[in-house]
């Protein structure tokens, strides 16, 4: 009861703040920071951690480190300044060449689903789509294929993958670039993607570190005269307590370090009061000391706000380098650049720190053998680079290699298959798979070809959506629309009629029976709807765009076999989910260039869907906690504050802690077959388990003791249906009562994907590592295994848990 009252109060307060107490759209959510919130609370400040630790090359980079040290020993001071300061040039980020040392410079390119500023490159599925596969192999292969394209275009660094935002708020504009609203699944996805990129020879960049959980006020607002001293209000401060930091936001970044990510990108916003790119606790303390990160930290573009303070705080490379990124003249200089030279000359900057910055940059370069026959930068990148067009270049770039290289290889087939396997079947009342229906009608503005210009810079009314917008998008060389793919399939099947209505307003405001103008309604009505999201803005609501809900209701009023497909950035409220005429719902997210083919493969059963939700779909948009802070009611310089007071309670952790009914829970997804689980058992892998880990020497990923397996949990999975399909058994851990308050009721700590023939059974094993069974103890500053009994449950979603086993690693 107390919970309910508290929740009611929260909702009422938010409602009053945003809408003057009037009734509001239940799917719209925003939060206005009330007055007097700059007063420091129990957290919201950052301890100082200095000096910035030097890299040791540990974890396998020792040989590369010595090559990097030799390289740095040959640099002049001006060259050193160049090595840590970006320049406008052909790529989104550029480090200039030093020909006398045979160093041809570094080319940094976006982004997490494609090499964006490039022609003849593929557009892969978005992070959220890839996460919905819950498939380690797919995540790796996607990273590997993408990495091949970056390399073939001459990019040394791919600016991805994304673990921040993690998905604290359902409304955050960039959640789709990342993976899942869960640190464990995101951590696995980071690790697989980074390994894929780097096995292909390109450096990964784990971003945005850390706390970048909303877009609104991610950067400061400046006075219109455009000088950096005229800040009206500083960027928002993400105020995160130590335990939440470790157990949620830092967790997947630890996987990234463990996977030996070459680089990290610090985020735009402030973190506990100071800018993330000069936050010594985050960069020196958490990342370089605690996690043992051996690579380099680059700033987000324009995310550097100081010279010395950033360098001492742990920033190693300033991107894009000049103050042009802040709206100033390209020749206005840089926080780094010439200031680095001055700093060393006047003794304020220790040259050993500058050397460490460059050694950190060059070690992964040598480790990945980027000094040996690396492809040249494709000159066409320079032509397409609107961020630093040729007119802004201050230095010379020697673009001699072949132009407009086609780097797509056979990736179309991979992209098609991966997006099909990522499709989440949310509802299916025997509507799917389709079996050569006689008649099909297609509805919705997401079905057809885009008729309204560029696919990736803004939303458009007519045409299918296969990616979100901003730096995380891709430049399509083609995009297969659902309508084109359905038409092709219908012709092959001799389906006698394909009619289509692509104007949502027309569908929503007319009687669909009139639109159909036929005596018999089609055997199946396929409705395609979409939801846009982009960098730089948070979502205002969770509904399907362009009156999508009304479109479904209108079609379903006439057609008793209405199948809804969404192409969306992520969470959508689906108020029509229980409509009896809505017989199937599929969430296809952003599938990339093969969109239509991927969804036809699923609709017709060529691919049995096996995607599972990487987030929760609530009953109402207002059911979600942790909304973005959309406004402040005071105008002080530091007044934008976002208190992560929900702590560990995001997504399912929150809905479970408060027993809130949801539409479709985290981990949910149907198949054309059915599965069963049985025979769970657990085996302890080490003889004695202590509460605290042994203090081993830190390796990339942190104390290696955290990554040692303590238990194996095994369960038998059976395909009980009559078609082949892939099951996704998921393991959730409930911590003992002795764990400090605020521990979520259950947390994902294992998953697998297994393909099974009808009737086939297989054993699946999950290894529980020390970190999986620990909480972050803010007193001892350690991961600690609480004493008492853990309940380990395995099921097919976070609320469909079928098998239970109990373990007591540390006796009370
Ligand atoms: C800003 C974005 O936040 C980041 O993700 C991107 O890599 C850079 N811009 C470069 O485009």
């Amino acid at each position: 009861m107390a919970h309910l009252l508290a929740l009611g109060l929260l909702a009422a307060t938010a409602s009053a703040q945003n809408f003057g107490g009037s009734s509001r759209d239940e799917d719209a959510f925003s939060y206005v920071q009330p007055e007097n919130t700059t007063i420091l609370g129990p957290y919201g400040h950052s301890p100082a951690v200095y000096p910035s630790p030097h890299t040791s090359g540990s974890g396998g980079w020792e040989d590369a480190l010595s090559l990097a040290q030799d390289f740095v020993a040959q640099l002049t001071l001006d060259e050193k300044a160049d090595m840590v300061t970006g320049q406008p040039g052909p790529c989104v980020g550029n480090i200039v060449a030093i020909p006398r040392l045979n160093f041809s410079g570094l080319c940094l390119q976006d982004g997490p689903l494609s090499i964006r500023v490039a022609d003849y490159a593929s557009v892969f599925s978005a992070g959220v789509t890839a996460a919905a596969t819950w498939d380690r192999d797919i995540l790796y292969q996607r990273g590997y294929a993408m990495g091949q394209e970056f390399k073939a275009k001459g990019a040394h660094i791919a600016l991805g993958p994304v673990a921040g935002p993690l998905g604290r708020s359902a409304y955050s504009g960039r959640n789709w670039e990342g993976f899942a609203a869960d640190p464990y699944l995101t951590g696995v996805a980071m690790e697989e993607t980074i390994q894929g990129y780097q096995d292909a020879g390109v450096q990964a960049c784990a971003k945005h570190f850390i706390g970048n959980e909303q877009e609104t006020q991610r950067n400061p607002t400046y006075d219109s005269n455009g000088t950096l001293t005229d800040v009206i209000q500083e960027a928002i401060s993400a105020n995160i307590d130590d335990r939440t930091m470790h157990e949620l936001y830092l967790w997947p970044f630890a996987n990234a370090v463990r996977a030996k990510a070459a680089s990290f990108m610090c985020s735009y916003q402030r973190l506990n009061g100071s800018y993330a790119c000069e936050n010594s606790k985050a960069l020196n303390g958490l990342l370089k000391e605690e996690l043992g990160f051996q690579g380099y930290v680059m700033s987000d573009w324009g995310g550097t706000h100081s010279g010395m303070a950033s360098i001492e705080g742990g920033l190693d490379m300033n991107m894009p380098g000049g103050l042009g990124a802040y709206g100033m003249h390209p020749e206005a200089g840089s926080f780094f650049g010439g200031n680095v030279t001055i700093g060393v000359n006047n003794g304020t900057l220790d040259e050993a720190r500058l050397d460490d910055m460059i050694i950190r940059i060059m070690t992964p370069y040598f480790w990945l053998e980027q000094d040996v026959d690396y492809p040249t930068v494709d000159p066409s990148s320079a032509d397409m680079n609107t961020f630093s067009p040729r007119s802004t270049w201050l230095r010379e770039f020697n673009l001699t290699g072949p132009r407009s290289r086609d780097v797509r290889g056979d990736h179309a087939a991979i992209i098609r298959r991966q997006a099909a396997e990522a499709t989440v079947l949310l509802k299916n009342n025997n509507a799917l798979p389709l079996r050569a229906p006689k008649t099909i009608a297609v509805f919705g503005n997401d079905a057809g070809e885009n008729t309204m210009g560029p696919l990736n810079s803004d939303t458009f009314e007519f045409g299918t959506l296969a990616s979100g917008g901003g730096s995380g998008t891709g430049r399509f060389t083609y995009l297969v629309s659902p309508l084109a793919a359905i038409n092709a399939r219908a012709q092959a099947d001799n389906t006698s009629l394909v009619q289509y209505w692509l104007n949502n307003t027309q569908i929503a405001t007319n009687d669909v029976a009139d639109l159909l103008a036929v005596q018999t309604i089609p055997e199946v009505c396929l409705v395609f709807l979409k939801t846009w999201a982009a960098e730089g803005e948070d979502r205002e609501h969770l509904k399907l765009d362009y009156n999508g809900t009304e479109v479904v209701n209108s079609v379903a009023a006439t057609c008793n076999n209405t199948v809804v497909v969404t192409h969306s950035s992520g969470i959508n409220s689906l108020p029509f989910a229980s409509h009896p005429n809505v017989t199937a719902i599929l969430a296809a997210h952003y599938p990339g260039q093969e969109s239509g083919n991927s969804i036809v493969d699923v609709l017709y059963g060529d691919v049995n869907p096996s995607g599972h939700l990487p987030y929760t779909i609530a009953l109402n948009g207002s059911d979600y906690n942790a909304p973005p802070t959309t406004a402040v009611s005071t105008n002080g310089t530091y007044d934008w504050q976002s208190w992560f007071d929900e702590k560990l309670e995001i997504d399912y952790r929150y809905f479970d802690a408060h027993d809130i009914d949801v539409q479709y829970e985290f981990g949910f997804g149907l198949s054309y077959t059915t599965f069963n689980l049985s025979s769970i058992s657990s085996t302890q892998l080490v003889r004695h388990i202590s509460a605290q880990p042994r203090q081993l020497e830190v390796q990339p990923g942190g104390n290696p003791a955290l990554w040692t397996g303590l238990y194996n949990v095994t369960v038998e999975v059976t395909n009980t249906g009559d078609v082949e399909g892939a099951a996704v058994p998921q393991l959730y851990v409930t911590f003992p009562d002795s764990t400090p308050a605020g521990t979520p009721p259950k947390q994902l700590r294992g998953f697998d994907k297994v393909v099974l023939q009808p009737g086939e059974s297989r054993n699946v094993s999950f290894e529980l590592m020390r970190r999986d069974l620990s909480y972050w103890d803010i007193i001892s500053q350690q991961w600690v295994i609480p004493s008492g009994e853990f309940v380990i449950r395995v099921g097919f979603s976070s609320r469909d848990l079928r098998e239970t086993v109990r373990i007591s690693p540390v006796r009370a």
Side-chain angles (χ1 to χ4, degrees):
M1 189 55 163
H3 277 340
L4 293 178
L5 280 176
L7 283 172
L9 190 64
L10 178 70
T13 316
S15 163
Q17 278 162 343
N18 299 317
F19 301 94
S22 61
S23 71
R24 66 193 178 90
D25 181 339
E26 64 182 14
D27 270 337
F29 214 144
S30 55
Y31 177 71
V32 180
Q33 183 68 45
E35 291 186 31
N36 296 329
T37 52
T38 50
I39 299 164
L40 293 177
Y43 47 91
H45 18 187
S46 254
V49 182
Y50 299 106
S52 192
H54 286 189
T55 172
S56 64
S58 74
W61 288 6
E62 292 82 359
D63 294 347
L65 178 93
S66 82
L67 292 173
Q69 285 167 330
D70 292 349
F71 177 84
V72 173
Q74 300 174 65
L75 296 175
T76 66
L77 183 54
D78 285 343
E79 286 168 343
K80 288 183 183 180
D82 275 349
M83 286 299 300
V84 297
T85 313
Q87 289 287 340
C91 303
V92 167
N94 305 274
I95 295 293
V96 291
I98 305 176
R100 71 179 183 85
L101 297 178
N102 283 330
F103 172 62
S104 51
L106 297 175
C107 165
L108 293 75
Q109 293 284 34
D110 286 318
L113 60 67
S114 172
I115 173 163
R116 172 173 60 90
V117 186
D119 52 5
Y120 300 102
S122 308
V123 178
F124 292 76
S125 58
V128 67
T129 320
T133 64
W134 295 63
D135 186 323
R136 287 178 172 79
D137 293 340
I138 286 182
L139 286 159
Y140 175 83
Q141 283 159 13
R142 172 178 171 273
Y144 186 77
M146 231 191 284
Q148 288 179 313
E149 298 200 11
F150 276 90
K151 179 171 177 179
K153 283 288 191 186
H156 301 86
I157 297 116
L159 301 175
V162 173
L166 178 70
R168 172 191 184 232
S169 170
Y171 294 81
S172 179
R174 295 184 85 175
N175 287 349
W176 59 276
E177 291 187 49
F179 296 102
D182 175 86
Y184 186 90
L185 178 51
T186 298
V188 171
M190 290 296 281
E191 217 167 311
E192 296 293 347
T193 307
I194 289 164
Q195 265 156 18
Y197 280 166
Q198 298 195 160
D199 283 355
V202 74
Q203 299 181 35
C205 175
K207 68 185 189 183
H208 307 85
F209 189 75
I210 191 172
N212 191 169
E213 295 294 322
Q214 68 168 66
E215 291 301 280
T216 310
Q217 197 70 11
R218 65 177 183 162
N219 279 312
T221 33
Y222 296 106
D223 197 351
S224 51
N225 77 13
T227 69
L228 294 177
T229 47
D230 288 320
V231 171
I232 299 174
Q233 288 191 301
E234 299 288 358
I236 194 155
S237 177
N239 300 322
I240 310 175
D241 68 274
D242 189 32
R243 181 174 179 199
T244 304
M245 175 60 95
H246 280 84
E247 293 186 27
L248 280 188
Y249 300 102
L250 189 63
W251 180 293
F253 283 114
N255 291 70
V257 177
R258 187 160 181 260
K260 299 202 177 79
S263 63
F264 263 54
M265 185 190 291
C266 50
S267 53
Y268 277 133
Q269 91 298 334
R270 289 181 296 148
L271 172 72
N272 291 334
S274 71
Y275 276 99
C277 287
E278 59 189 46
N279 189 306
S280 63
K281 170 66 185 174
L283 304 182
N284 292 339
L286 297 176
L287 182 58
K288 291 181 179 177
E289 269 178 29
E290 191 179 316
L291 298 183
F293 176 58
Q294 299 296 312
Y296 58 102
V297 178
M298 70 176 77
S299 68
D300 199 343
W301 270 230
T304 308
H305 294 277
S306 60
M308 278 301 292
S310 297
I311 290 175
E312 292 188 338
L315 181 65
D316 301 304
M317 180 191 273
N318 181 10
M319 276 292 155
L323 296 177
Y326 306 79
M328 297 178 70
H329 192 274
E331 288 176 23
S334 167
F335 282 117
F336 281 27
N339 286 319
V340 169
T341 318
I342 294 170
V344 172
N345 282 334
N346 70 17
T348 42
L349 172 55
D350 179 1
E351 194 162 358
R353 166 71 185 117
L354 176 58
D355 289 351
D356 179 62
M357 293 157 75
I358 304 166
I359 293 168
R360 284 178 172 275
I361 294 167
M362 291 305 284
T363 300
Y365 172 87
F366 287 117
W367 178 62
L368 292 170
E369 297 181 354
Q370 293 191 329
D371 57 323
V372 186
D373 293 334
Y374 206 78
T376 52
V377 173
D378 189 322
S380 65
S381 300
D383 305 339
M384 281 179 282
N385 185 356
T386 50
F387 184 74
S388 51
R390 279 198 168 79
S391 59
T392 63
W393 297 5
L394 304 168
R395 307 284 278 272
E396 261 188 43
F397 290 89
N398 199 3
L399 299 173
T400 50
R403 168 177 293 277
S404 294
R405 285 165 237 162
D406 189 338
V407 298
R408 295 170 295 180
D410 60 358
H411 297 165
I414 298 175
I415 293 167
R416 175 177 182 162
R417 179 83 194 175
Q418 292 182 351
E421 300 224 3
T423 306
V424 187
L425 180 63
L426 294 171
K427 177 176 182 179
N428 188 17
N429 287 357
N430 287 324
L432 299 176
L434 301 176
R435 288 177 192 86
K438 288 226 160 38
T439 52
I440 297 178
V442 174
F443 296 88
N445 67 357
D446 175 66
E449 308 297 328
N450 169 35
T451 57
M452 302 180 72
L455 288 169
N456 46 11
S457 51
D458 211 346
T459 183
F460 44 85
E461 183 170 359
F462 298 105
T464 197
L465 196 59
S467 164
S471 66
T473 191
R475 190 174 185 277
F476 288 87
T477 53
Y478 70 91
L479 171 56
V480 180
S481 72
L483 187 56
I486 291 166
N487 255 316
R489 180 66 189 238
Q491 278 174 33
D493 282 357
N494 209 15
T495 295
S496 60
L497 172 69
V498 178
Q499 301 184 40
Y500 50 91
W501 289 265
L502 308 183
N503 183 325
N504 281 11
T505 311
Q506 181 199 27
I507 305 163
T509 56
N510 280 280
D511 185 337
V512 165
D514 293 342
L515 295 180
L516 285 166
V518 286
Q519 297 304 310
T520 49
I521 54 169
E523 234 174 82
V524 56
C525 295
L526 301 175
V527 184
F528 289 88
L529 299 164
K530 61 183 172 179
T531 304
W532 169 255
E535 179 183 343
E537 60 201 30
D538 294 310
R539 293 171 65 189
E540 287 174 9
H541 59 79
L542 302 178
K543 292 187 293 193
L544 291 157
D545 289 349
Y546 301 100
N547 298 323
T549 301
E550 290 75 14
V551 168
V552 175
N553 288 336
S554 185
V555 174
T558 295
C559 189
N560 64 4
N561 189 18
T562 298
V563 173
V564 178
V565 177
T566 63
H567 285 125
S568 167
S569 58
I571 297 176
N572 281 125
S573 43
L574 303 170
F576 45 78
S578 52
H579 192 304
N581 285 351
V582 174
T583 49
I585 304 174
L586 299 120
H589 298 110
Y590 291 151
Q593 66 190 33
E594 287 283 323
S595 177
N597 289 333
S598 303
I599 198 66
V600 160
D601 288 347
V602 172
L603 289 171
Y604 284 81
D606 296 342
V607 173
N608 187 349
S610 58
H612 288 249
L613 288 177
Y615 52 73
T616 300
I617 298 181
L619 286 166
N620 302 297
S622 53
D623 290 351
Y624 292 94
N625 65 345
T629 300
T630 50
V632 288
S633 49
T634 49
N635 57 12
T637 313
Y638 300 99
D639 286 359
W640 280 87
Q641 305 285 335
S642 178
W643 296 94
F644 286 34
D645 283 341
E646 73 289 342
K647 302 193 171 179
L648 299 172
E649 289 184 6
I650 65 167
D651 203 79
Y652 69 91
R653 289 165 167 76
Y654 166 70
F655 293 113
D656 288 351
H658 299 274
D659 257 335
I660 299 170
D661 286 342
V662 301
Q663 186 77 63
Y664 298 113
E665 69 275 12
F666 178 87
F668 180 80
L670 299 170
S671 164
Y672 296 150
T673 185
T674 48
F675 301 102
N676 193 26
L677 285 173
S678 59
S679 316
I680 193 167
S681 64
S682 74
T683 318
Q684 190 169 326
L685 301 176
V686 292
R687 200 174 310 147
H688 171 73
I689 299 174
S690 57
Q692 299 227 358
R694 278 205 298 147
Q695 297 306 308
L696 304 177
E697 197 185 322
V698 169
Q699 291 287 309
N703 180 353
L706 298 173
W707 302 91
T708 39
L710 301 184
Y711 286 89
N712 239 340
V713 174
T714 306
V715 71
E716 189 175 273
V717 194
T718 306
N719 182 346
T720 50
D722 48 19
V723 287
E724 180 195 293
V728 179
Q730 303 159 34
L731 182 150
Y732 293 84
V733 170
T734 300
F735 279 67
D737 292 342
S738 69
T739 320
T743 305
K746 56 179 173 294
Q747 308 193 65
L748 182 73
R749 289 291 188 260
F751 66 88
D752 205 351
K753 192 157 195 175
V754 252
V755 179
L756 295 165
Q757 300 303 319
E760 188 186 350
S761 292
R762 284 203 3 217
N763 279 341
V764 175
S765 284
F766 309 92
E767 192 181 78
L768 291 170
M769 293 184 286
R770 176 173 277 279
R771 184 179 68 155
D772 297 327
L773 299 172
S774 302
Y775 68 94
W776 177 256
D777 179 29
I778 59 170
I779 308 293
S780 65
Q781 292 288 294
Q782 291 293 338
W783 289 95
V784 173
I785 302 181
S787 60
E789 189 179 74
F790 284 75
V791 183
I792 312 290
R793 283 177 291 180
V794 180
F796 295 119
S797 83
S798 62
R799 292 194 174 186
D800 176 15
L801 298 166
R802 312 240 181 130
E803 288 283 291
T804 303
V805 66
R806 290 160 202 276
I807 56 171
S808 298
V810 178
R811 304 265 164 210

